[in-house]
Amino acid sequence: MTATESQQFLGACPHDCPDTCSMVVTVTDGKVEKVRGNPDHPFTRGGLCVKVTDFPNHLYSPDRLLHPLRRVGPKGLGQFEEITWDDALNEISTRLRAIIDEDGPESVLPYSYLGNMGILNGLTVGDRFFNGLGTSVSERTFCDGGGITAYLMTVGPTAAVDPESLVHSRYIIIWACNVLSNNLHLWPFIEEAQRNGAKVVCIDPVRHRTADKADWHIPIRPGTDAALALAMMHVIINEDLVDADYVADHTIGYNDLVDHVADCTPEWAEVETGIPADDIRTLAREYAAASPSLIRVGVALERSTSGGNAARAVFSLPSLTGAWREVGGGVLQMPIWAFPVNWDELHGPHPNADTVQIINQWRLGETLAGEHSGTPIKSLFVYNSNPAVVAGDQDRLRRGLARDDLFTVVSEHFMTDTARYADIVLPAAMATEHTDLMFSWGHLYLTHAPKMIEPPGDCVPNTELFRRLASVMGVDDPWFELTDEEQLERAMDWSAPQMDGITLDRLRSDGYARLNLPAADDYRPHAEGGFPTPSGKVELAASMAGGGNFVAPLFRQGIPGNQDGGEVAVLPTYLPPAETGDDSRFPLSLISPKAHAFMNSQYGNMDKQLGQQGPQACRLNPADAEARGITDRSLVRVFNDRSELQAMARVTDSVMPGVVAMPMGHWSSPEYGEATVNALNSDRYADIGRAPTFSDTAVEVEPITSA
Ligand SMILES: Nc1nc2c(c(=O)[nH]1)N[C@H]1C(S)=C(S)[C@@H](COP(=O)(O)OP(=O)(O)OC[C@H]3O[C@@H](n4cnc5c(=O)[nH]c(N)nc54)[C@H](O)[C@@H]3O)O[C@H]1N2
Ligand SMILES: Nc1nc2c(c(=O)[nH]1)N[C@H]1C(S)=C(S)[C@@H](COP(=O)(O)OP(=O)(O)OC[C@H]3O[C@@H](n4cnc5c(=O)[nH]c(N)nc54)[C@H](O)[C@@H]3O)O[C@H]1N2
Ligand SMILES: [Mo]
């Protein structure tokens, strides 16, 4: 018998999730045998989610892409032949060079998001390469571009609340966030608060597993949150529940706001939101009276016509009541601003920053159809993303991907719906096969993610992919001569005060480190104001609105500003949903929240997770089902003017009447008519930060009767 050699490593979950778990990884004979949550990590607390517990199955899936591939059949059918890296790189450089010579570098469009969340291999990993070529810039706002912009406009780039402080909160509003599915490791802190007497309120069209555990679930018509928040302000102001000192000292625009919300009565908001006026009053009164009070917002808040304004209004609430004074009071959005990542170093400069074509990733369908106003796109380079599933306007997008004259490269783990349209597919390494460092958008720990095993076949980390491409394309940038370890040294501002005592060596040995900030029991950075906005105060009236509809540089290859303008309201303002209610042909309001068992579209191809999630489903209220003759688990057609798809009806009173909920992330399947939920969504922007409008889509549902 040969002795097996087993070793334990501390690593990190690579996914785009607020929890950024610390994982204990057992490697036996060069293979990852199992992973478990690190019991010592104060946020992971020993648990992992249903997506990641069987990570070895993901790593060693027989479907994993192991070699570069060249397309041999029609686009979309997924027929490929294996080629070498040399062949792939030669073909890519020859084709890209020819396209750039003929049509200019802007005819090349990179497309990426956070398939991998590593500081090196994630959001910005391709930027230096594409900026070096001078290609079009990809604007990446389809996750939280709107919420982040609204946050920056209102309270500035602040970590604001330590999620571990939530144990001190006495009133917790979970607003458009499914904590138990999407931010699982925050739940124990909320539960502890609840045990200590906190009231937990969930504002959501769906009574999901989180709302089930809340003390009060308030169903709301999608896209009407701004009306609710403005009505809460109305009550707080009119019933004299304002913390006048906090408002006077630490906000700007209060007097204008008082006039602005004078007519925003609970009765007015009831009509918009579907929430009884008395409930709105109770919510506002309880929220204002409780201390500390905390609002946890999710991404769906921003995903409608006045979603950004809804977020601005919600971010304004704690300054009216002075909630920021206490530990565990305020708003928890994303504490990413605490991490001193050198984003400028990571994305590098673009040679034509002032004039370059910027393509929002949300407008890929329009762009590939040549229906945008700028330079036509001749080559698309996708990595860390699966636009054929995750972006709206799916039918037009897939027609664009099928264009014969479009040269498409996709770097992937699996043959995704997007990769099937590629001319060249490149195999990417997974976590445990490369080294990285993880920031977090859900807690205050940096986590080390070391290489533990060799990547299989010809897989390479994204860092190496762009090193190889820079070399064949002659992008002369010393960054690409650095090893991953050397890039890590430059990726963070190690001299920032919050990094005091944290070194790469310490991270290598301990696996993670809490940023050097006050302890969670003592963390109330805005007890005395000090907001990092232009005025230093909470901007109820936003001075940044004067700059138009801006997007943080981080989300556009480092390019600041606001190339195509757009007006932004100075005071938070409500506009009704654009689609729902207008057209009697499509009376139902579609939302597409995250799937419990998928990670966006990842794991949608894995038997276990797909089994847990079930097939493409359309969840609707018994009243709506009955009116249409739809029974539970029957096949239905969901449609609007953009597209149609098939789904299994799930009839449940957990979805409020008038709403259809279809979890996102399913891959195309012949069984369900190929299209997935984003075929029904438009590419319309929300009001702030060019956010998507996934929660502002009208549809109808009908039974499919077999002939
Ligand atoms: N299991 C799992 N976890 C994930 C992910 C995943 O795909 N699966 N994805 C990760 C990513 S990238 C992100 S950004 C986070 C997002 O995590 P969340 O912020 O929780 O995102 P969603 O599930 O999109 O939406 C949350 C809730 O908003 C509700 N909602 C929809 N429209 C509206 C509306 O107009 N108003 C109100 N009040 N509520 C509305 C939905 O019913 C849903 O319950 O999750 C991360 N974690
Ligand atoms: N209808 C609807 N649409 C949505 C949302 C919604 O709630 N509803 N949510 C939006 C949100 S919040 C987000 S964040 C986006 C997510 O959009 P994406 O980030 O595009 O989401 P994923 O499905 O995770 O796709 C990432 C892809 O990258 C690949 N990948 C992972 N790691 C690596 C790597 O190291 N290298 C390379 N080359 N590839 C890798 C994965 O295999 C996967 O196919 O979707 C948005 N779309
Ligand atoms: Mo996201």
Side-chain angles (χ1 to χ4, degrees):
M1 225 172 85
T2 43
T4 52
E5 211 175 299
S6 221
Q7 213 185 335
Q8 294 220 326
F9 292 87
L10 287 181
C13 173
H15 293 314
D16 178 14
C17 165
D19 296 10
T20 316
C21 289
S22 168
M23 302 201 303
V24 184
V25 182
T26 309
V27 175
T28 305
D29 288 340
K31 277 190 84 171
V32 172
E33 192 190 333
K34 67 172 185 203
V35 300
R36 61 192 171 92
N38 183 351
D40 301 327
H41 188 282
F43 205 76
T44 304
R45 293 182 170 191
L48 293 176
C49 68
V50 294
K51 306 172 291 285
V52 181
T53 35
D54 66 341
F55 192 67
N57 277 337
H58 205 217
L59 277 173
Y60 301 114
S61 161
D63 297 335
R64 182 134 176 227
L65 299 173
L66 301 178
H67 305 285
L69 302 172
R70 177 196 285 128
R71 184 171 58 83
V72 292
K75 291 199 175 190
L77 292 194
Q79 295 162 355
F80 292 90
E81 65 178 1
E82 226 173 273
I83 55 173
T84 63
W85 265 101
D86 281 346
D87 287 343
L89 290 169
N90 279 335
E91 185 157 336
I92 293 169
S93 66
T94 310
R95 293 290 300 271
L96 284 188
R97 269 287 153 236
I99 289 168
I100 290 172
D101 288 349
E102 190 153 327
D103 299 299
E106 284 189 3
S107 59
V108 177
L109 177 66
Y111 194 103
S112 68
Y113 200 60
L114 279 170
N116 180 319
M117 217 186 74
I119 291 175
L120 291 187
N121 285 285
L123 193 65
T124 55
V125 62
D127 290 3
R128 269 182 175 266
F129 170 71
F130 292 107
N131 284 349
L133 289 179
T135 65
S136 280
V137 164
S138 170
E139 186 174 70
R140 302 174 279 226
T141 59
F142 66 16
C143 174
D144 200 33
I148 284 178
T149 306
Y151 190 81
L152 296 180
M153 290 173 79
T154 313
V155 295
T158 166
V161 173
D162 183 336
E164 292 172 64
S165 307
L166 263 62
V167 297
H168 299 287
S169 310
R170 283 292 165 274
Y171 201 83
I172 299 179
I173 301 181
I174 301 175
W175 203 319
C177 187
N178 185 357
V179 175
L180 270 163
S181 286
N182 305 341
N183 182 193
L184 177 65
H185 296 79
L186 181 65
W187 184 252
F189 299 94
I190 295 177
E191 210 173 31
E192 187 176 334
Q194 204 178 22
R195 273 201 307 276
N196 293 340
K199 182 162 181 176
V200 177
V201 184
C202 243
I203 303 173
D204 203 297
V206 179
R207 196 185 68 242
H208 42 53
R209 52 188 88 213
T210 313
D212 254 342
K213 298 221 169 186
D215 299 287
W216 187 15
H217 170 224
I218 305 178
I220 185 168
R221 234 183 99 214
T224 64
D225 302 87
L228 173 60
L230 292 173
M232 287 175 72
M233 288 177 168
H234 173 99
V235 174
I236 290 167
I237 291 169
N238 283 50
E239 298 190 4
D240 216 5
L241 305 173
V242 170
D243 181 333
D245 288 342
Y246 200 90
V247 165
D249 294 345
H250 306 303
T251 69
I252 60 167
Y254 179 72
N255 291 337
D256 291 340
L257 184 75
V258 171
D259 294 340
H260 186 71
V261 301
D263 296 332
C264 299
T265 60
E267 281 69 21
W268 162 78
E270 172 174 338
V271 176
E272 300 300 321
T273 61
I275 305 170
D278 281 345
D279 284 355
I280 297 175
R281 267 191 200 93
T282 305
L283 175 68
R285 287 174 188 153
E286 286 183 357
Y287 169 74
S291 178
S293 64
L294 186 282
I295 308 178
R296 166 64 173 157
V297 299
V299 293
L301 183 60
E302 72 194 69
R303 294 178 166 177
S304 52
T305 298
S306 53
N309 273 280
R312 286 250 305 116
V314 170
F315 300 152
S316 301
L317 284 169
S319 64
L320 298 183
T321 63
W324 293 110
R325 290 182 190 278
E326 308 294 332
V327 175
V331 161
L332 176 59
Q333 198 231 10
M334 296 190 182
I336 43 172
W337 308 105
F339 294 85
V341 180
N342 280 336
W343 295 113
D344 288 349
E345 179 85 351
L346 290 168
H347 47 59
H350 193 288
N352 306 311
D354 294 338
T355 54
V356 64
Q357 162 161 278
I358 309 237
I359 303 284
N360 192 284
Q361 62 184 171
W362 191 234
R363 292 275 161 97
L364 186 62
E366 174 192 70
T367 306
L368 294 184
E371 286 160 20
H372 66 306
S373 55
T375 309
I377 297 304
K378 297 292 174 64
S379 177
L380 176 71
F381 195 114
V382 182
Y383 59 98
N384 279 350
S385 190
N386 185 10
V389 173
V390 302
D393 199 10
Q394 189 180 83
D395 289 358
R396 185 158 59 153
L397 198 162
R398 291 190 183 195
R399 281 196 300 277
L401 289 173
R403 261 174 48 196
D404 271 330
D405 68 328
L406 182 74
F407 176 62
T408 303
V409 182
V410 176
S411 162
E412 252 303 339
H413 294 152
F414 293 100
M415 188 54 71
T416 58
D417 288 0
T418 307
R420 296 168 79 83
Y421 289 90
D423 294 281
I424 301 282
V425 179
L426 301 170
M430 282 192 184
T432 67
E433 298 165 356
H434 56 66
T435 292
D436 217 319
L437 195 59
M438 316 294 298
F439 70 113
S440 168
W441 49 276
H443 57 65
L444 297 173
Y445 298 81
L446 261 175
T447 315
H448 188 230
K451 177 172 172 174
M452 306 164 201
I453 56 170
E454 287 303 319
D458 293 328
C459 294
V460 299
N462 294 339
T463 47
E464 176 61 16
L465 162 68
F466 288 107
R467 242 181 238 121
R468 292 182 183 186
L469 285 167
S471 163
V472 288
M473 292 291 295
V475 172
D476 184 18
D477 179 340
W479 179 258
F480 295 111
E481 281 150 37
L482 303 176
T483 61
D484 289 0
E485 295 290 342
E486 288 166 338
Q487 288 183 357
L488 276 185
E489 293 283 357
R490 306 228 193 149
M492 304 287 302
D493 177 2
W494 298 94
S495 65
Q498 63 272 46
M499 297 293 281
D500 201 19
I502 305 176
T503 60
L504 260 178
D505 276 342
R506 189 182 138 200
L507 286 160
R508 284 187 193 108
S509 64
D510 295 357
Y512 63 89
R514 182 182 161 87
L515 293 176
N516 181 37
L517 293 167
D521 291 341
D522 196 27
Y523 192 66
R524 39 182 204 133
H526 302 302
E528 279 157 46
F531 292 89
T533 54
S535 62
K537 301 183 178 195
V538 175
E539 300 210 347
L540 304 170
S543 59
M544 283 158 96
N549 202 350
F550 76 92
V551 170
L554 169 62
F555 295 112
R556 29 196 269 161
Q557 290 172 228
I559 296 189
N562 146 39
Q563 290 209 346
D564 51 8
E567 300 260 309
V568 175
V570 173
L571 289 160
T573 302
Y574 173 69
L575 289 169
E579 291 199 3
T580 325
D582 276 4
D583 190 335
S584 59
R585 293 175 305 150
F586 307 119
L588 298 171
S589 171
L590 173 74
I591 58 174
S592 43
K594 305 301 188 186
H596 179 72
F598 302 157
M599 181 63 223
N600 298 318
S601 73
Q602 295 182 71
Y603 302 96
N605 59 330
M606 303 291 294
D607 289 344
K608 181 182 149 200
Q609 284 84 356
L610 188 56
Q612 268 167 330
Q613 186 62 38
Q616 175 152 287
C618 155
R619 303 172 72 81
L620 78 175
N621 188 271
D624 294 319
E626 200 175 315
R628 292 165 177 77
I630 293 169
T631 51
D632 192 33
R633 294 184 185 271
S634 63
L635 196 61
V636 291
R637 181 172 162 261
V638 189
F639 61 100
N640 57 21
D641 278 339
R642 279 180 289 273
S643 191
E644 64 171 77
L645 51 75
Q646 295 178 17
M648 180 192 276
R650 296 311 316 268
V651 179
T652 163
D653 68 0
S654 64
V655 176
M656 71 188 281
V659 171
V660 168
M662 292 196 61
M664 67 89 66
H666 280 280
W667 295 30
S668 261
S669 82
E671 205 188 333
Y672 286 97
E674 298 291 345
T676 55
V677 67
N678 273 324
L680 300 166
N681 285 320
S682 76
D683 67 355
R684 210 176 46 248
Y685 293 135
D687 50 346
I688 289 184
R690 291 195 274 284
T693 45
F694 302 115
S695 291
D696 198 341
T697 295
V699 294
E700 178 56 295
V701 184
E702 64 181 24
I704 295 178
T705 39
S706 45

